[in-house]
Amino acid sequence: MCLVLLGWRVHPAWDLVVGANRDEFHARPTTPAHWWPGEDGLLAGRDLEAGGTWLGLTREGRFAAVTNVRDPGSRRADARSRGELTLEFLRGSASAREHAAAVAARIGQWNGFNLVLGDGEELCYVGTQAPQPRVLAPGIHGIANAALDTPWPKVVDGKAEFAVALGRVEPEPGVFDALGDRRIAPDERLPDTGVGIERERALSPRFVRTPGYGTRCSTYLALRGRRARFCERNWRPSGALMEERRFES
């Protein structure tokens, strides 16, 4: 997952509204969003290589999403899968605040990540670039592949369009529009994450499309208590829509 936009207690009908793009190699085996068999009300896509998920929720209103941190110089081959971070919370009963603290205590077990956890009462954030867990205040937040609200173009511009969508009675169309922007950011706005300027340009749009790698799915989620509205759009390597999946609980 490479872009997560969060509206926490901003929209009058929903406590939490999420717009998220998962960027990944197209060859990596994946199952689209579904209710997991044998699980107690867990809705998520599944990474079939490592077994975890990038974003999910439960019928009880628990929510989790993870992104990686773009820092190629510090990547370890023996690190645990970041998809475990979401599953541990979704399968557990600890509060968002408690689980964020537990993750912070063993943060070195994973390569760089950002983790957002919601339990219906609080929305919490913890990450390797900001290992002190935070309880997020109501408002609009954004995460790409650096710490929460780092002013990358896709985060700054995405949050601005996301805010407009949250000003509407039905935010979903505007959220998908915000996620679908394919414009490359100008060089003067690009970060330097150690991958070279050509790669920085290619990864700068909110919707990424490069040979073999790009935005695999876009997700809209709205939550209030145990009520949820979830839509996932899955994309072909060409950037064309492959399928749309909708769930309500």
Side-chain angles (χ1 to χ4, degrees):
M1 183 71 68
C2 286
L3 179 63
V4 181
L5 302 171
L6 304 151
W8 176 233
R9 292 180 173 162
V10 173
H11 193 274
W14 301 101
D15 288 335
L16 177 64
V17 178
V18 179
N21 279 342
R22 182 202 182 208
D23 300 340
E24 184 54 86
F25 291 100
H26 287 284
R28 189 173 178 116
T30 297
T31 300
H34 61 289
W35 293 106
W36 288 22
E39 299 278 357
D40 188 17
L42 170 59
L43 173 63
R46 191 162 201 165
D47 169 31
L48 297 179
E49 185 169 303
T53 188
W54 55 96
L55 181 152
L57 69 151
T58 70
R59 292 192 188 276
E60 287 71 39
R62 294 167 74 81
F63 159 78
V66 67
T67 76
N68 66 355
V69 170
R70 194 187 307 155
D71 185 9
S74 64
R75 187 180 182 280
R76 304 191 330 270
D78 61 345
R80 294 175 62 181
S81 167
R82 286 167 286 211
E84 298 175 357
L85 290 159
T86 49
L87 282 186
E88 284 183 353
F89 178 71
L90 295 171
R91 287 169 166 164
S93 58
S95 70
R97 186 189 296 238
E98 291 167 341
H99 192 78
V103 169
R106 50 200 172 101
I107 206 162
Q109 296 180 14
W110 296 272
N111 285 319
F113 70 86
N114 298 291
L115 179 66
V116 182
L117 307 168
D119 57 18
E121 299 296 326
E122 291 183 320
L123 190 67
C124 295
Y125 165 77
V126 64
T128 47
Q129 293 185 337
Q132 183 65 36
R134 286 178 53 188
V135 177
L136 299 186
I140 294 173
H141 305 276
I143 308 170
N145 301 111
L148 179 78
D149 291 325
T150 297
W152 287 10
K154 66 172 66 182
V155 174
V156 173
D157 300 342
K159 285 169 62 177
E161 291 189 30
F162 189 67
V164 173
L166 291 182
R168 299 170 182 156
V169 173
E170 177 47 71
E172 181 183 323
V175 171
F176 275 122
D177 286 345
L179 295 174
D181 192 287
R182 305 184 184 197
R183 290 173 293 179
I184 294 173
D187 286 359
E188 63 269 19
R189 298 186 65 197
L190 296 178
D192 181 1
T193 61
V195 298
I197 188 62
E198 293 296 333
R199 191 66 174 160
E200 297 288 6
R201 290 173 183 147
L203 297 175
S204 68
R206 281 166 257 161
F207 189 106
V208 175
R209 186 176 53 166
T210 71
Y213 179 91
T215 299
R216 296 275 303 268
C217 72
S218 302
T219 303
Y220 170 80
L221 168 63
L223 277 171
R224 171 160 282 181
R226 296 191 176 191
R227 180 181 171 222
R229 184 173 295 165
F230 184 104
C231 179
E232 180 185 88
R233 293 179 179 176
N234 291 282
W235 306 99
R236 300 184 188 279
S238 65
L241 181 65
M242 180 165 56
E243 66 170 340
E244 180 178 285
R245 294 182 168 222
R246 289 187 173 272
F247 305 87
E248 297 214 17
S249 64

